[in-house]
Amino acid sequence: MAKHDYPYKKSVNVTAWILQILVCLVLLAASAWFLWISEQQNLDEILGDYNGIFTASAGLQIGITGLNIVMNIVEIILISKKRMPPALFLTSTCIKTAIWGIIFILNVIARSALSIILTIVLFATSLIQLIHASIIVHRKRRGTLTRGKYAPAINPQGFEEGVYAQPTPGYYYPPPTNTEYKSPAATPPPPQYGNPAGDVYAPQIPPGSYELDSRGRNH
């Protein structure tokens, strides 16, 4: 599976995960307690015809909160392992935002103060994650998304492709070598000894001249 090293912000995701898991555990415990009470006691006298509706709502809430916890665990694992594609993260946040948005509206209609407070936390954190995921996907499509951090390459010669690069602070660049061409003919040869005519130096070739062939020169 390919790695997806995208800039998921820990300040956004970790805060959302902690709040969502805590609130979901509270709702999960409250729903389980209501189902347990409904089995131990006959609530038909109190709730009347609404007993079945409340029981079904408690069971549905257990399923939704359990799904949210599972989705958060999957997000934590994939992002920590750098295996979370932006499209999958966006899909996950869309599902959570839609679910808690609907439940929040229903709680507002029912005027349940405690439920409104709990669900608004879930809806707000899911919405923040949705905005964060949308920004990542948008930048990825435009090609402006930075993936990971790369160290600058060190060029020991201080230049690249014929153009001198600016020195990077903290690195030592040795001075460039002198590439000026010097003709070997400009340097006089060493004196020749053992010549029958005596110690005679070989004729010096004027600087800047070039030996084009091996023909002798007239002096």
Side-chain angles (χ1 to χ4, degrees):
M1 187 175 180
K3 285 191 175 183
H4 301 276
D5 189 11
Y6 294 99
Y8 298 108
K9 292 184 178 180
K10 293 182 179 180
S11 58
V12 173
N13 292 322
V14 174
T15 304
W17 291 330
I18 293 175
L19 293 176
Q20 289 177 12
I21 290 176
L22 290 177
V23 175
C24 284
L25 289 177
V26 172
L27 294 176
L28 187 64
S31 300
W33 177 80
F34 180 82
L35 291 178
W36 181 78
I37 290 296
S38 63
E39 292 180 359
Q40 297 296 324
Q41 301 178 5
N42 188 6
L43 299 179
D44 291 339
E45 298 178 357
I46 301 175
L47 300 177
D49 296 336
Y50 296 100
N51 185 21
I53 297 176
F54 277 95
T55 302
S57 300
L60 180 61
Q61 186 166 270
I62 290 176
I64 293 174
T65 52
L67 176 63
N68 197 121
I69 293 175
V70 171
M71 293 176 69
N72 285 344
I73 293 174
V74 172
E75 290 176 2
I76 293 171
I77 294 175
L78 292 181
I79 291 179
S80 61
K81 298 293 184 180
K82 297 181 179 180
R83 305 286 186 179
M84 173 65 80
L88 180 60
F89 184 55
L90 179 62
T91 303
S92 177
T93 55
C94 284
I95 294 174
K96 292 190 296 183
T97 304
I99 291 175
W100 295 119
I102 294 173
I103 296 177
F104 172 71
I105 294 173
L106 294 176
N107 289 330
V108 171
I109 295 174
R111 298 180 181 179
S112 176
L114 181 59
S115 298
I116 291 175
I117 295 174
L118 294 177
T119 54
I120 197 174
V121 173
L122 295 170
F123 175 67
T125 53
S126 299
L127 182 61
I128 292 173
Q129 281 189 306
L130 175 61
I131 296 173
H132 177 49
S134 301
I135 293 174
I136 293 177
V137 172
H138 179 66
R139 290 180 179 177
K140 181 177 181 296
R141 290 178 178 177
R142 294 185 60 184
T144 59
L145 184 64
T146 58
R147 298 180 55 180
K149 297 180 179 179
Y150 300 93
I154 302 174
N155 192 341
Q157 298 298 331
F159 61 91
E160 181 180 0
E161 296 182 359
V163 179
Y164 286 93
Q166 296 295 330
T168 303
Y171 295 105
Y172 170 73
Y173 291 94
T177 57
N178 189 3
T179 58
E180 181 182 358
Y181 175 76
K182 293 183 179 180
S183 174
T187 304
Q192 298 179 357
Y193 298 97
N195 194 324
D199 296 338
V200 180
Y201 288 90
Q204 297 184 1
I205 301 175
S209 61
Y210 297 91
E211 190 72 25
L212 300 178
D213 50 25
S214 58
R215 291 178 296 177
R217 294 176 179 269
N218 296 325
H219 299 282

Short mmCIF file of all heavy atoms in Angstrom, two decimals, residues 16 19-28 31 57 60-72 75 92-108 115-127 129:
data_model
loop_
_atom_site.label_atom_id
_atom_site.label_comp_id
_atom_site.label_asym_id
_atom_site.label_seq_id
_atom_site.Cartn_x
_atom_site.Cartn_y
_atom_site.Cartn_z
N ALA A 16 -10.07 16.75 17.81
CA ALA A 16 -11.36 16.22 17.37
C ALA A 16 -11.53 14.76 17.80
O ALA A 16 -12.62 14.38 18.26
CB ALA A 16 -11.48 16.34 15.86
N LEU A 19 -12.24 14.60 21.74
CA LEU A 19 -13.58 15.06 22.09
C LEU A 19 -14.65 14.12 21.57
O LEU A 19 -15.63 13.80 22.28
CB LEU A 19 -13.80 16.48 21.56
CG LEU A 19 -12.95 17.58 22.21
CD1 LEU A 19 -13.20 18.92 21.53
CD2 LEU A 19 -13.24 17.68 23.70
N GLN A 20 -14.50 13.66 20.34
CA GLN A 20 -15.52 12.77 19.77
C GLN A 20 -15.58 11.43 20.51
O GLN A 20 -16.67 10.92 20.78
CB GLN A 20 -15.22 12.54 18.28
CG GLN A 20 -15.47 13.75 17.41
CD GLN A 20 -15.09 13.53 15.96
OE1 GLN A 20 -14.84 12.41 15.55
NE2 GLN A 20 -15.03 14.60 15.19
N ILE A 21 -14.44 10.87 20.84
CA ILE A 21 -14.44 9.58 21.53
C ILE A 21 -15.03 9.72 22.92
O ILE A 21 -15.83 8.87 23.37
CB ILE A 21 -13.02 9.01 21.59
CG1 ILE A 21 -12.57 8.58 20.18
CG2 ILE A 21 -12.94 7.81 22.53
CD1 ILE A 21 -11.14 8.09 20.11
N LEU A 22 -14.70 10.80 23.64
CA LEU A 22 -15.25 11.00 24.98
C LEU A 22 -16.77 11.18 24.95
O LEU A 22 -17.51 10.55 25.73
CB LEU A 22 -14.58 12.21 25.64
CG LEU A 22 -13.11 12.06 26.03
CD1 LEU A 22 -12.57 13.36 26.61
CD2 LEU A 22 -12.93 10.92 27.02
N VAL A 23 -17.25 12.04 24.04
CA VAL A 23 -18.70 12.26 23.95
C VAL A 23 -19.41 11.01 23.49
O VAL A 23 -20.51 10.67 23.99
CB VAL A 23 -18.98 13.45 23.02
CG1 VAL A 23 -20.48 13.61 22.81
CG2 VAL A 23 -18.40 14.73 23.57
N CYS A 24 -18.82 10.28 22.55
CA CYS A 24 -19.45 9.04 22.09
C CYS A 24 -19.52 8.00 23.20
O CYS A 24 -20.51 7.25 23.30
CB CYS A 24 -18.67 8.48 20.90
SG CYS A 24 -18.95 9.36 19.36
N LEU A 25 -18.52 7.94 24.05
CA LEU A 25 -18.57 7.01 25.18
C LEU A 25 -19.67 7.39 26.16
O LEU A 25 -20.35 6.51 26.71
CB LEU A 25 -17.21 6.99 25.89
CG LEU A 25 -16.06 6.32 25.13
CD1 LEU A 25 -14.76 6.44 25.91
CD2 LEU A 25 -16.37 4.85 24.84
N VAL A 26 -19.87 8.70 26.36
CA VAL A 26 -20.96 9.14 27.23
C VAL A 26 -22.32 8.76 26.64
O VAL A 26 -23.20 8.22 27.34
CB VAL A 26 -20.87 10.67 27.47
CG1 VAL A 26 -22.11 11.17 28.22
CG2 VAL A 26 -19.61 11.00 28.26
N LEU A 27 -22.52 9.03 25.36
CA LEU A 27 -23.78 8.66 24.71
C LEU A 27 -23.98 7.15 24.67
O LEU A 27 -25.10 6.65 24.83
CB LEU A 27 -23.82 9.24 23.29
CG LEU A 27 -23.86 10.76 23.18
CD1 LEU A 27 -23.78 11.19 21.71
CD2 LEU A 27 -25.11 11.33 23.83
N LEU A 28 -22.90 6.43 24.45
CA LEU A 28 -22.98 4.98 24.41
C LEU A 28 -23.38 4.42 25.77
O LEU A 28 -24.25 3.52 25.87
CB LEU A 28 -21.63 4.40 23.98
CG LEU A 28 -21.55 2.89 23.73
CD1 LEU A 28 -22.45 2.50 22.56
CD2 LEU A 28 -20.11 2.48 23.44
N SER A 31 -27.13 5.32 26.45
CA SER A 31 -28.05 4.47 25.67
C SER A 31 -28.10 3.06 26.23
O SER A 31 -29.18 2.44 26.33
CB SER A 31 -27.62 4.45 24.21
OG SER A 31 -27.64 5.75 23.67
N SER A 57 -34.52 4.34 19.46
CA SER A 57 -33.57 5.46 19.39
C SER A 57 -32.29 5.16 20.16
O SER A 57 -31.18 5.50 19.71
CB SER A 57 -34.23 6.74 19.94
OG SER A 57 -35.38 7.07 19.19
N LEU A 60 -30.30 2.76 18.06
CA LEU A 60 -29.70 3.45 16.92
C LEU A 60 -28.53 4.32 17.36
O LEU A 60 -27.50 4.40 16.67
CB LEU A 60 -30.77 4.31 16.23
CG LEU A 60 -30.31 5.10 15.00
CD1 LEU A 60 -29.81 4.17 13.91
CD2 LEU A 60 -31.46 5.98 14.49
N GLN A 61 -28.69 4.96 18.52
CA GLN A 61 -27.60 5.80 19.01
C GLN A 61 -26.38 4.98 19.38
O GLN A 61 -25.24 5.43 19.18
CB GLN A 61 -28.08 6.61 20.22
CG GLN A 61 -27.06 7.61 20.72
CD GLN A 61 -27.68 8.61 21.68
OE1 GLN A 61 -28.17 9.66 21.25
NE2 GLN A 61 -27.65 8.28 22.96
N ILE A 62 -26.56 3.78 19.88
CA ILE A 62 -25.44 2.89 20.17
C ILE A 62 -24.69 2.55 18.88
O ILE A 62 -23.45 2.56 18.82
CB ILE A 62 -25.92 1.62 20.89
CG1 ILE A 62 -26.38 1.95 22.32
CG2 ILE A 62 -24.82 0.56 20.93
CD1 ILE A 62 -26.97 0.77 23.06
N GLY A 63 -25.46 2.26 17.83
CA GLY A 63 -24.82 1.93 16.56
C GLY A 63 -24.06 3.10 15.97
O GLY A 63 -22.96 2.95 15.44
N ILE A 64 -24.65 4.30 16.04
CA ILE A 64 -24.00 5.48 15.47
C ILE A 64 -22.74 5.84 16.24
O ILE A 64 -21.68 6.13 15.65
CB ILE A 64 -24.98 6.67 15.44
CG1 ILE A 64 -26.12 6.39 14.45
CG2 ILE A 64 -24.26 7.96 15.06
CD1 ILE A 64 -27.20 7.44 14.46
N THR A 65 -22.83 5.86 17.57
CA THR A 65 -21.64 6.19 18.36
C THR A 65 -20.54 5.15 18.19
O THR A 65 -19.35 5.49 18.13
CB THR A 65 -22.01 6.32 19.85
OG1 THR A 65 -22.72 5.14 20.27
CG2 THR A 65 -22.90 7.53 20.08
N GLY A 66 -20.94 3.88 18.10
CA GLY A 66 -19.94 2.83 17.86
C GLY A 66 -19.26 3.00 16.50
O GLY A 66 -18.04 2.82 16.38
N LEU A 67 -20.06 3.38 15.48
CA LEU A 67 -19.48 3.63 14.15
C LEU A 67 -18.51 4.80 14.18
O LEU A 67 -17.45 4.75 13.56
CB LEU A 67 -20.61 3.89 13.16
CG LEU A 67 -20.18 4.25 11.72
CD1 LEU A 67 -19.42 3.10 11.08
CD2 LEU A 67 -21.41 4.63 10.88
N ASN A 68 -18.86 5.86 14.92
CA ASN A 68 -17.97 7.02 15.01
C ASN A 68 -16.65 6.66 15.67
O ASN A 68 -15.57 7.10 15.23
CB ASN A 68 -18.66 8.14 15.79
CG ASN A 68 -18.01 9.49 15.59
OD1 ASN A 68 -18.64 10.45 15.14
ND2 ASN A 68 -16.73 9.60 15.93
N ILE A 69 -16.71 5.87 16.72
CA ILE A 69 -15.48 5.45 17.40
C ILE A 69 -14.61 4.61 16.47
O ILE A 69 -13.39 4.78 16.41
CB ILE A 69 -15.83 4.69 18.70
CG1 ILE A 69 -16.48 5.63 19.70
CG2 ILE A 69 -14.57 4.05 19.30
CD1 ILE A 69 -16.98 4.95 20.97
N VAL A 70 -15.24 3.69 15.74
CA VAL A 70 -14.48 2.85 14.81
C VAL A 70 -13.84 3.69 13.71
O VAL A 70 -12.66 3.49 13.36
CB VAL A 70 -15.39 1.76 14.20
CG1 VAL A 70 -14.68 1.02 13.08
CG2 VAL A 70 -15.84 0.77 15.27
N MET A 71 -14.57 4.65 13.17
CA MET A 71 -14.02 5.51 12.13
C MET A 71 -12.85 6.34 12.66
O MET A 71 -11.85 6.55 11.96
CB MET A 71 -15.12 6.42 11.57
CG MET A 71 -16.20 5.69 10.81
SD MET A 71 -17.56 6.77 10.27
CE MET A 71 -16.73 7.76 9.04
N ASN A 72 -12.96 6.82 13.89
CA ASN A 72 -11.85 7.57 14.48
C ASN A 72 -10.61 6.69 14.66
O ASN A 72 -9.49 7.14 14.43
CB ASN A 72 -12.27 8.16 15.82
CG ASN A 72 -13.18 9.36 15.68
OD1 ASN A 72 -13.29 9.94 14.60
ND2 ASN A 72 -13.85 9.74 16.74
N GLU A 75 -9.00 6.28 11.32
CA GLU A 75 -8.29 7.51 10.95
C GLU A 75 -6.96 7.62 11.70
O GLU A 75 -5.94 8.00 11.11
CB GLU A 75 -9.17 8.72 11.25
CG GLU A 75 -10.38 8.85 10.34
CD GLU A 75 -11.26 10.01 10.74
OE1 GLU A 75 -10.89 10.73 11.71
OE2 GLU A 75 -12.31 10.22 10.12
N SER A 92 -14.63 10.20 5.12
CA SER A 92 -14.90 9.89 6.53
C SER A 92 -15.45 11.10 7.27
O SER A 92 -16.43 11.00 8.02
CB SER A 92 -13.62 9.39 7.20
OG SER A 92 -13.83 9.14 8.58
N THR A 93 -14.85 12.26 7.05
CA THR A 93 -15.33 13.46 7.72
C THR A 93 -16.71 13.90 7.21
O THR A 93 -17.51 14.44 7.98
CB THR A 93 -14.32 14.61 7.54
OG1 THR A 93 -14.07 14.82 6.14
CG2 THR A 93 -13.00 14.28 8.22
N CYS A 94 -16.98 13.66 5.94
CA CYS A 94 -18.32 13.99 5.40
C CYS A 94 -19.39 13.15 6.06
O CYS A 94 -20.48 13.65 6.42
CB CYS A 94 -18.33 13.77 3.89
SG CYS A 94 -17.50 15.05 2.92
N ILE A 95 -19.10 11.86 6.24
CA ILE A 95 -20.09 10.96 6.87
C ILE A 95 -20.36 11.39 8.31
O ILE A 95 -21.53 11.49 8.75
CB ILE A 95 -19.60 9.51 6.80
CG1 ILE A 95 -19.54 9.04 5.34
CG2 ILE A 95 -20.50 8.60 7.63
CD1 ILE A 95 -18.93 7.67 5.18
N LYS A 96 -19.30 11.67 9.07
CA LYS A 96 -19.49 12.07 10.46
C LYS A 96 -20.22 13.41 10.57
O LYS A 96 -21.11 13.57 11.43
CB LYS A 96 -18.13 12.14 11.17
CG LYS A 96 -17.46 10.79 11.35
CD LYS A 96 -16.24 10.87 12.25
CE LYS A 96 -15.16 11.74 11.67
NZ LYS A 96 -13.94 11.75 12.54
N THR A 97 -19.87 14.34 9.72
CA THR A 97 -20.53 15.65 9.77
C THR A 97 -22.01 15.54 9.42
O THR A 97 -22.86 16.18 10.07
CB THR A 97 -19.83 16.62 8.80
OG1 THR A 97 -18.44 16.70 9.12
CG2 THR A 97 -20.44 18.00 8.91
N ALA A 98 -22.33 14.74 8.41
CA ALA A 98 -23.74 14.58 8.03
C ALA A 98 -24.55 13.91 9.13
O ALA A 98 -25.68 14.34 9.45
CB ALA A 98 -23.83 13.77 6.74
N ILE A 99 -23.98 12.87 9.74
CA ILE A 99 -24.72 12.14 10.80
C ILE A 99 -24.98 13.03 11.99
O ILE A 99 -26.13 13.16 12.46
CB ILE A 99 -23.93 10.88 11.21
CG1 ILE A 99 -23.93 9.85 10.08
CG2 ILE A 99 -24.52 10.28 12.48
CD1 ILE A 99 -23.07 8.64 10.36
N TRP A 100 -23.94 13.69 12.50
CA TRP A 100 -24.12 14.50 13.71
C TRP A 100 -24.86 15.79 13.41
O TRP A 100 -25.50 16.36 14.31
CB TRP A 100 -22.77 14.78 14.36
CG TRP A 100 -22.11 13.53 14.86
CD1 TRP A 100 -20.92 13.02 14.48
CD2 TRP A 100 -22.65 12.63 15.83
NE1 TRP A 100 -20.66 11.85 15.15
CE2 TRP A 100 -21.70 11.58 15.99
CE3 TRP A 100 -23.82 12.59 16.58
CZ2 TRP A 100 -21.91 10.53 16.86
CZ3 TRP A 100 -24.02 11.52 17.46
CH2 TRP A 100 -23.08 10.51 17.60
N GLY A 101 -24.81 16.26 12.17
CA GLY A 101 -25.62 17.42 11.83
C GLY A 101 -27.11 17.12 11.89
O GLY A 101 -27.90 17.91 12.41
N ILE A 102 -27.48 15.94 11.37
CA ILE A 102 -28.90 15.55 11.42
C ILE A 102 -29.36 15.34 12.85
O ILE A 102 -30.45 15.78 13.26
CB ILE A 102 -29.11 14.29 10.57
CG1 ILE A 102 -28.85 14.60 9.09
CG2 ILE A 102 -30.52 13.74 10.76
CD1 ILE A 102 -28.86 13.37 8.20
N ILE A 103 -28.53 14.64 13.64
CA ILE A 103 -28.90 14.38 15.04
C ILE A 103 -28.98 15.68 15.83
O ILE A 103 -29.86 15.84 16.70
CB ILE A 103 -27.90 13.40 15.67
CG1 ILE A 103 -27.99 12.05 14.97
CG2 ILE A 103 -28.16 13.23 17.17
CD1 ILE A 103 -26.99 11.02 15.48
N PHE A 104 -28.09 16.61 15.54
CA PHE A 104 -28.13 17.91 16.23
C PHE A 104 -29.43 18.65 15.92
O PHE A 104 -30.06 19.24 16.82
CB PHE A 104 -26.92 18.75 15.81
CG PHE A 104 -26.97 20.16 16.30
CD1 PHE A 104 -26.80 20.46 17.64
CD2 PHE A 104 -27.20 21.21 15.41
CE1 PHE A 104 -26.85 21.77 18.10
CE2 PHE A 104 -27.25 22.51 15.85
CZ PHE A 104 -27.08 22.80 17.19
N ILE A 105 -29.86 18.63 14.66
CA ILE A 105 -31.12 19.29 14.29
C ILE A 105 -32.30 18.62 14.99
O ILE A 105 -33.22 19.31 15.50
CB ILE A 105 -31.30 19.27 12.77
CG1 ILE A 105 -30.21 20.13 12.09
CG2 ILE A 105 -32.68 19.78 12.38
CD1 ILE A 105 -30.21 20.03 10.58
N LEU A 106 -32.30 17.30 15.07
CA LEU A 106 -33.38 16.59 15.76
C LEU A 106 -33.41 16.92 17.25
O LEU A 106 -34.49 17.07 17.84
CB LEU A 106 -33.22 15.08 15.55
CG LEU A 106 -33.39 14.58 14.11
CD1 LEU A 106 -33.12 13.08 14.03
CD2 LEU A 106 -34.79 14.90 13.58
N ASN A 107 -32.24 17.05 17.86
CA ASN A 107 -32.20 17.40 19.28
C ASN A 107 -32.67 18.83 19.52
O ASN A 107 -33.29 19.12 20.55
CB ASN A 107 -30.79 17.22 19.83
CG ASN A 107 -30.39 15.75 19.94
OD1 ASN A 107 -31.24 14.89 20.15
ND2 ASN A 107 -29.11 15.48 19.78
N VAL A 108 -32.37 19.72 18.56
CA VAL A 108 -32.86 21.09 18.69
C VAL A 108 -34.39 21.11 18.61
O VAL A 108 -35.07 21.84 19.36
CB VAL A 108 -32.24 21.98 17.61
CG1 VAL A 108 -32.91 23.34 17.58
CG2 VAL A 108 -30.74 22.14 17.85
N SER A 115 -28.59 16.80 25.27
CA SER A 115 -28.29 16.20 23.96
C SER A 115 -27.78 17.23 22.98
O SER A 115 -26.90 16.94 22.16
CB SER A 115 -29.54 15.51 23.40
OG SER A 115 -29.97 14.47 24.26
N ILE A 116 -28.31 18.46 23.05
CA ILE A 116 -27.85 19.52 22.16
C ILE A 116 -26.38 19.84 22.43
O ILE A 116 -25.58 20.00 21.50
CB ILE A 116 -28.72 20.77 22.33
CG1 ILE A 116 -30.13 20.52 21.77
CG2 ILE A 116 -28.08 21.97 21.64
CD1 ILE A 116 -31.10 21.67 22.01
N ILE A 117 -26.01 19.92 23.70
CA ILE A 117 -24.62 20.24 24.06
C ILE A 117 -23.67 19.15 23.57
O ILE A 117 -22.60 19.44 23.01
CB ILE A 117 -24.49 20.44 25.58
CG1 ILE A 117 -25.30 21.67 26.01
CG2 ILE A 117 -23.03 20.58 25.98
CD1 ILE A 117 -25.36 21.85 27.52
N LEU A 118 -24.06 17.89 23.77
CA LEU A 118 -23.18 16.78 23.38
C LEU A 118 -23.06 16.67 21.86
O LEU A 118 -21.96 16.49 21.33
CB LEU A 118 -23.71 15.47 23.97
CG LEU A 118 -23.67 15.36 25.51
CD1 LEU A 118 -24.28 14.05 25.96
CD2 LEU A 118 -22.25 15.50 26.03
N THR A 119 -24.19 16.79 21.18
CA THR A 119 -24.14 16.63 19.73
C THR A 119 -23.51 17.83 19.02
O THR A 119 -22.93 17.67 17.94
CB THR A 119 -25.56 16.39 19.18
OG1 THR A 119 -26.43 17.43 19.63
CG2 THR A 119 -26.09 15.04 19.60
N ILE A 120 -23.60 19.02 19.62
CA ILE A 120 -22.96 20.16 18.98
C ILE A 120 -21.45 20.03 19.04
O ILE A 120 -20.73 20.50 18.14
CB ILE A 120 -23.44 21.49 19.63
CG1 ILE A 120 -23.09 22.66 18.70
CG2 ILE A 120 -22.79 21.68 20.99
CD1 ILE A 120 -23.65 24.00 19.19
N VAL A 121 -20.94 19.37 20.09
CA VAL A 121 -19.49 19.10 20.15
C VAL A 121 -19.09 18.15 19.04
O VAL A 121 -18.09 18.36 18.34
CB VAL A 121 -19.11 18.54 21.53
CG1 VAL A 121 -17.65 18.10 21.55
CG2 VAL A 121 -19.36 19.57 22.62
N LEU A 122 -19.88 17.11 18.85
CA LEU A 122 -19.58 16.15 17.79
C LEU A 122 -19.71 16.77 16.41
O LEU A 122 -18.88 16.54 15.52
CB LEU A 122 -20.52 14.94 17.92
CG LEU A 122 -20.36 14.09 19.18
CD1 LEU A 122 -21.50 13.09 19.29
CD2 LEU A 122 -19.02 13.38 19.19
N PHE A 123 -20.75 17.57 16.22
CA PHE A 123 -20.96 18.20 14.92
C PHE A 123 -19.87 19.23 14.61
O PHE A 123 -19.35 19.30 13.49
CB PHE A 123 -22.34 18.86 14.88
CG PHE A 123 -22.60 19.65 13.63
CD1 PHE A 123 -22.72 19.00 12.40
CD2 PHE A 123 -22.72 21.03 13.67
CE1 PHE A 123 -22.96 19.72 11.24
CE2 PHE A 123 -22.96 21.76 12.51
CZ PHE A 123 -23.08 21.10 11.29
N ALA A 124 -19.48 20.03 15.61
CA ALA A 124 -18.47 21.07 15.39
C ALA A 124 -17.10 20.47 15.08
O ALA A 124 -16.40 20.91 14.16
CB ALA A 124 -18.39 21.98 16.61
N THR A 125 -16.70 19.46 15.84
CA THR A 125 -15.39 18.84 15.60
C THR A 125 -15.37 18.12 14.25
O THR A 125 -14.35 18.15 13.55
CB THR A 125 -15.06 17.86 16.73
OG1 THR A 125 -16.15 16.93 16.90
CG2 THR A 125 -14.82 18.59 18.03
N SER A 126 -16.47 17.48 13.88
CA SER A 126 -16.52 16.83 12.57
C SER A 126 -16.47 17.85 11.44
O SER A 126 -15.83 17.62 10.40
CB SER A 126 -17.80 15.99 12.46
OG SER A 126 -17.83 14.97 13.45
N LEU A 127 -17.13 18.99 11.65
CA LEU A 127 -17.12 20.04 10.63
C LEU A 127 -15.71 20.63 10.46
O LEU A 127 -15.28 20.92 9.34
CB LEU A 127 -18.11 21.13 11.01
CG LEU A 127 -18.27 22.29 10.02
CD1 LEU A 127 -18.75 21.78 8.66
CD2 LEU A 127 -19.22 23.34 10.58
N GLN A 129 -12.88 19.05 10.99
CA GLN A 129 -12.13 18.04 10.23
C GLN A 129 -12.51 18.05 8.75
O GLN A 129 -11.65 17.86 7.89
CB GLN A 129 -12.38 16.65 10.82
CG GLN A 129 -11.58 16.36 12.08
CD GLN A 129 -11.70 14.90 12.49
OE1 GLN A 129 -12.80 14.38 12.66
NE2 GLN A 129 -10.57 14.24 12.63
#
